[in-house]
Amino acid sequence: MATTATRKSFGQVLLELGGKDENIVVLDADLSKSTMSKMFADKYPGRFFEMGISEANMIGVGSGLALAGKKPFICSFACFVTGRYDTIRISVAYSEAPVRIVGTHAGIGIGEDGNSQMGLEDLGLMRGLPHMTVIQPADDIETRQAVTWMAENDVPSYIRLTRQNVKDVNGPDYTFKIGKAVELVPGSDITIMATGGPVYHAVDAAGLLKKQGISAGVVNIHTIKPIDVEAINKYAKLTGHVITVEDHNTIGGLGSAVAEVLAESGAGKLNRHGLKDAFGESGTYQDLYKKYRLDAEGIVSVVKEIFDK
Amino acid sequence: MAQCYDIEYLRELARQSRIDVIKMLEAAKSGHPGGSLSEIEILVALYGHVMKHDNDNINMKDRDRFVLSKGHGIPGLYAVMANLDYWPREDLLSLRTVNSRFQGHPDRVRLPGLEASTGSLGQGLSIAIGYALASKLDNDAYRVYCVIGDGESQEGQIWEAALSAPKFKLDNLVCILDYNKGQIDGFVKDVMPLEPIADKWKAFGWHVIKVDGHDIDELIRAFEEAASIKGKPTFILADTVKGKGVSFMEGLIDWHGVAPNKEEAEQALKELGA
């Protein structure tokens, strides 16, 4: 099965979109080689603006370009771009400026660079903004279609992408629908709701759990906002128990979004798995996913703890 | 290339706009008179003569763009635009009330005609740069003007923006500093000194022009000079007086963010010849 970093899928599809729509402009803050916006920059230098290490200004310039009718994609690491929160709040969300915000290097999956480079609170930040659509794709084909959706829709949006390679979880006939969760594995005992980098680990975990007699379904939540209320309630009722899995703080991210839905509906029980009110640290991606139990074995152990109680 | 204009008409526009600012703030019982009065001639020069715009066609494609980065000065802009028939003058009295288009700080969604939502200081110049880049992409379709405040210039994002506009050779962009020397906690020179301001912007690569910010002729000449400069953006350091036009407000920090009461408003309006 093919693996790719979703930031790379982003860079490739942005290049393709650039050839189809000359209103697309791209801004980066000295990380174009890492965010992969460089592919666009090399092909369309007249529509690429290197803003230097000045994220707040990049966000504001993106706002002006958007209000003038362009389709700006502004790119940096998730932590750096969403760290300039007030500028996004006023110049993008409140202004209803259709800026496409791209945050790469999501979560502990970035590895050795450590916590200061890890976006671990960005989903919570972006989810809290009125008018903001928040997307986190799980694989190559989903990223391509999600980025295309962003290009085609004139609304403020945020997409969160991985540094590390992720395995495909969707087939070649996959169709991305904004705001609609995707069932990847059917299950009857518990539903794992995952997003982003850990999704394929969740699929692998479901396979391991099956061998141990636990029928765990896996649902990929690629749109964090608007959250798919209907699907969350449906799967919660179906299996009675939901566990969210994300490479993000459990406060503010997918776990919180699902908790809000289930608290209001009472459709099922919930456990949240991810970074538990904690910062990240240095290490290889594999070692970190093992330590924080975001790989398949880790997810299996977390699910089994729920059943053992 | 200087075009003719009627200076008496522009002065009257400024006087009437000041009257409207006082009436609005008195009705709202809150707001920022100091910075709304200091910027009036800058706005009058731009909207009354320099800028290409059309109140009957607010979405005109190639209109010049104006961003009021110092968003708390918005009553001044509401007033000037009302006097140019963007909206009825009587509507201004709904300032800061529930459901009003005239929010305490600019909201481009609620009030079409404004080009940016601002109020969190330091952000507008970046937005103006975005407009200027878009204009360049569209073959220099229009010019872009942005008024910033002096207190606002303590924000780091202003200097990120100041660094970037010369890089992109934005000769279609003019940043005007309403240098009224006051901010909420005191005089700018005491709160966080900015001088030498002109030297800083020159060093960042801007064409710098100093003017008396209450002299409409001088302002218009500066805007004409800016239009003739190629390859770099222009920074106009407009020397202004906080609370200009109302004797008991001029130069006083206390009038940064306090509205006049009925008696004070009456006296102010009398001084303004209302």
Side-chain angles (χ1 to χ4, degrees), chain A residues 25 46-47 49-51 54-57 60-61 63-65 67-68 70 86-87 90-91 94-96, chain B residues 106-110 115 117 120 123 126-127 129-131 133-134 137-138 142 157 160-161 164 167-168:
Chain A
V25 295
R47 286 190 274 141
F49 302 104
E50 173 55 79
M51 302 307 296
S54 305
E55 293 82 8
N57 187 47
V61 172
S63 170
L65 282 159
L67 294 174
K70 303 298 174 190
D86 183 51
T87 308
I90 298 301
S91 291
Y94 183 57
S95 297
E96 296 185 38
Chain B
D107 182 335
R108 61 166 292 275
V109 178
R110 282 192 174 85
E115 305 288 6
S117 300
S120 178
Q123 300 187 20
S126 299
I127 296 171
I129 290 171
Y131 275 123
L133 281 174
L137 287 169
D138 294 339
Y142 48 84
Q157 192 181 333
E160 291 185 5
S164 68
K167 170 186 167 170
F168 298 113

Side-chain angles (χ1 to χ4, degrees), chain A:
Chain A
M1 194 170 274
T3 68
T4 186
T6 56
R7 61 177 167 141
K8 191 174 174 192
S9 311
F10 157 72
Q12 288 168 346
V13 74
L14 190 62
L15 180 64
E16 289 167 22
L17 292 166
K20 293 175 193 159
D21 187 347
E22 63 179 24
N23 274 323
I24 292 177
V25 295
V26 179
L27 290 72
D28 207 305
D30 196 39
L31 287 169
S32 66
K33 291 175 197 164
S34 300
T35 64
M36 302 282 176
S37 70
K38 189 174 187 302
M39 292 185 222
F40 182 99
D42 288 344
K43 182 86 183 279
Y44 303 108
R47 286 190 274 141
F48 176 81
F49 302 104
E50 173 55 79
M51 302 307 296
I53 308 170
S54 305
E55 293 82 8
N57 187 47
M58 174 174 75
I59 294 160
V61 172
S63 170
L65 282 159
L67 294 174
K70 303 298 174 190
K71 297 181 173 182
F73 282 80
I74 67 166
C75 316
S76 184
F77 286 6
C79 56
F80 302 144
V81 67
T82 66
R84 278 64 186 172
Y85 191 62
D86 183 51
T87 308
I88 297 175
R89 177 173 181 263
I90 298 301
S91 291
V92 179
Y94 183 57
S95 297
E96 296 185 38
V99 179
R100 287 75 167 172
I101 304 171
V102 180
T104 68
H105 290 60
I108 60 173
I110 79 160
E112 293 84 343
D113 273 346
N115 180 71
S116 71
Q117 320 295 300
M118 292 169 169
L120 282 167
E121 303 83 22
D122 50 308
L123 290 176
L125 291 168
M126 293 301 100
R127 207 166 68 80
L129 290 173
H131 304 301
M132 185 67 73
T133 296
V134 182
I135 305 170
Q136 179 167 226
D139 70 359
D140 178 59
I141 191 169
E142 193 163 270
T143 304
R144 290 168 185 273
Q145 294 187 31
V147 174
T148 304
W149 183 92
M150 290 168 80
E152 289 171 351
N153 287 272
D154 279 326
V155 295
S157 56
Y158 175 67
I159 190 166
R160 184 176 197 254
L161 302 171
T162 67
R163 172 181 185 268
Q164 77 274 19
N165 286 335
V166 292
K167 277 200 291 190
D168 287 347
V169 293
N170 296 295
D173 298 330
Y174 175 74
T175 303
F176 172 85
K177 292 195 185 97
I178 191 76
K180 293 293 172 197
V182 181
E183 180 185 289
L184 297 174
V185 179
S188 55
D189 294 332
I190 189 168
T191 304
I192 303 171
M193 295 188 179
T195 186
V199 171
Y200 83 87
H201 296 289
V203 172
D204 290 348
L208 295 171
L209 285 163
K210 195 175 180 183
K211 287 175 192 160
Q212 299 178 43
I214 296 174
S215 172
V218 179
V219 173
N220 170 25
I221 313 254
H222 55 63
T223 307
I224 309 297
K225 187 183 178 185
I227 195 79
D228 190 347
V229 174
E230 200 183 327
I232 290 168
N233 284 328
K234 181 181 117 182
Y235 289 103
K237 277 179 195 152
L238 185 73
T239 58
H241 206 129
V242 169
I243 178 167
T244 54
V245 175
E246 60 188 319
D247 185 355
H248 184 278
N249 196 337
T250 50
I251 297 174
L254 175 67
S256 288
V258 172
E260 288 158 18
V261 173
L262 294 180
E264 287 187 349
S265 70
K269 286 185 198 164
L270 171 69
N271 285 71
R272 293 170 299 142
H273 181 51
L275 274 281
K276 294 185 184 297
D277 198 17
F279 287 120
E281 61 181 295
S282 289
T284 65
Y285 152 60
Q286 290 83 358
D287 286 348
L288 288 170
Y289 263 44
K290 190 179 167 75
K291 173 171 176 179
Y292 291 91
R293 301 204 286 174
L294 287 169
D295 58 4
E297 290 74 19
I299 296 168
V300 166
S301 68
V302 173
V303 170
K304 287 188 74 178
E305 279 172 17
I306 293 169
F307 279 90
D308 289 346
K309 271 178 191 167

Side-chain angles (χ1 to χ4, degrees), chain B residues 47 58-59 63 66 81 86-87 108 111-116:
Chain B
Y47 275 87
I58 58 171
N59 294 318
R63 69 191 183 278
F66 176 79
M81 291 176 81
Y86 270 82
W87 32 73
R108 61 166 292 275
L111 188 59
L114 300 183
E115 305 288 6

